[in-house]
Amino acid sequence: MSDHRRIAASKVGEVTVVRFVDKKILEEASIQELGAELFGLVEQLNRRSIVLNFTDVEFLSSAALGKLITLDRKVKAAKGRLKMSNIRPEILEVFQITKLNKVFDIRKDEAEAIAAFQ
Amino acid sequence: MAHEAAAGSRPVPPVGGWRRDVELPSERGASRLVMDELLEQLGLHGWSPTDIFGIHLAAEEAIVNAIVHGNKLDPAKTVHVSCQVSPELARIEVTDAGPGFDPASIPDCTLEERLEVPSGRGVMLMRSFMTRIEYNAKGNGVVLEKRREPQAD
């Protein structure tokens, strides 16, 4: 299961915490891989409580936003919950401009995101 | 002893800052061929990390659009990128060899019913992060400009 190249997934209780390998998420090929790995958490590994921790992410493009939106839809369709945390101000601005902050459940840090599953 | 002409013996910073014109191949990831230098020059000209983030995002979106949607990854076509950076202005012009498109035809991605559509956000991000963006009449070229806010004393 741990043949991930774009993410590092760990479990905290029942919650799957995902960190990103790439500081800059913008190359088309790596975004495709990232998407496949994220979707696999839901579709193959049946994870239903997921936190995406953005602490290492400095940059992401609109193509990466597309993968996050699709992941959010897949998790919701599977009756799971997805939360995002540790998003730096510039990327938060991207979410605000595109109004994705209304779609995504965004928390300040990982601890707050995990606690929100209780 | 012969005197050499002094002209050209000392490097002089170009008037108006840094400029670069490049032809990018229509391949995914080709933006890298100009982006690293653009980001470095923005830093050298005193742009803040926040401004650099926005310019990087806008330029990346414009170049990817040109390669993927404009030239449709056709190896026979190139994307022309013209960059200009000074302490007051960052200007990036991206032109592809495609037929052009009408930027007004892009639906508003922030409408409630489109919020979860996973594409169509690039142009909105360009507009938000830059001071001005303008497509040419044909719709195959875009100029991105960011002007530096006057520094508070």
Side-chain angles (χ1 to χ4, degrees):
Chain A
M1 81 143 266
S2 61
D3 55 349
H4 290 137
R5 284 163 28 111
R6 299 297 166 199
I7 59 172
S10 58
K11 283 203 110 178
V12 179
E14 288 304 304
V15 179
T16 298
V17 176
V18 176
R19 289 177 74 146
F20 298 86
V21 171
D22 298 296
K23 284 190 166 72
K24 297 188 175 189
I25 305 176
L26 77 158
E27 294 283 342
E28 176 70 19
S30 45
I31 289 173
Q32 291 302 336
E33 275 189 352
L34 173 65
E37 292 177 13
L38 289 173
F39 305 159
L41 293 174
V42 187
E43 293 172 336
Q44 273 106 53
L45 302 175
N46 297 313
R47 303 295 174 83
R48 295 291 178 264
S49 303
I50 300 173
V51 174
L52 302 182
N53 180 336
F54 282 80
T55 200
D56 303 312
V57 180
E58 296 173 356
F59 186 91
L60 53 76
S61 70
S62 68
L65 292 181
K67 297 300 179 192
L68 297 178
I69 292 165
T70 303
L71 174 69
D72 190 62
R73 288 166 58 179
K74 286 180 188 291
V75 172
K76 285 173 179 164
K79 306 268 185 269
R81 288 186 293 168
L82 174 69
K83 300 178 193 303
M84 305 184 188
S85 74
N86 302 75
I87 301 172
R88 67 184 56 209
E90 291 90 346
I91 293 176
L92 205 51
E93 194 181 350
V94 170
F95 288 168
Q96 284 159 352
I97 289 166
T98 52
K99 300 214 167 92
L100 288 172
N101 57 329
K102 292 182 175 179
V103 176
F104 298 151
D105 185 350
I106 296 171
R107 305 289 173 147
K108 184 168 166 287
D109 55 33
E110 189 179 302
E112 189 188 315
I114 291 170
F117 283 102
Q118 305 311 315
Chain B
M1 194 181 288
H3 279 270
E4 295 280 282
S9 61
R10 191 188 306 161
V12 179
V15 177
W18 171 80
R19 284 166 182 268
R20 171 78 72 239
D21 279 77
V22 291
E23 295 289 334
L24 300 181
S26 297
E27 295 167 2
R28 296 189 191 279
S31 63
R32 206 177 347 159
L33 299 172
V34 66
M35 199 63 75
D36 290 348
E37 198 178 4
L38 172 62
L39 300 181
E40 185 188 355
Q41 288 293 333
L42 288 167
L44 291 174
H45 284 84
W47 290 78
S48 71
T50 300
D51 282 340
I52 293 175
F53 175 94
I55 297 166
H56 182 188
L57 185 57
E60 184 70 30
E61 300 289 341
I63 294 172
V64 168
N65 281 349
I67 291 172
V68 176
H69 302 299
N71 288 355
K72 304 204 179 303
L73 295 164
D74 180 348
K77 293 175 178 169
T78 59
V79 171
H80 186 87
V81 181
S82 178
C83 304
Q84 183 185 337
V85 175
S86 72
E88 298 81 30
L89 175 72
R91 186 178 190 279
I92 300 114
E93 189 171 350
V94 180
T95 310
D96 62 58
F101 82 113
D102 176 8
S105 67
I106 303 173
D108 181 354
C109 63
T110 63
L111 294 175
E112 195 70 38
E113 67 271 20
R114 294 199 64 84
L115 271 182
E116 298 195 33
V117 177
S119 62
R121 288 177 176 73
V123 174
M124 161 166 269
L125 290 170
M126 285 188 242
R127 283 194 203 287
S128 300
F129 281 107
M130 303 303 280
T131 311
R132 182 177 87 94
I133 84 161
E134 193 171 317
Y135 279 87
N136 63 10
K138 188 179 170 191
N140 70 328
V142 63
V143 175
L144 312 171
E145 279 186 4
K146 191 167 183 79
R147 291 189 179 275
R148 186 92 146 270
E149 306 289 330
Q151 302 295 305
D153 289 329

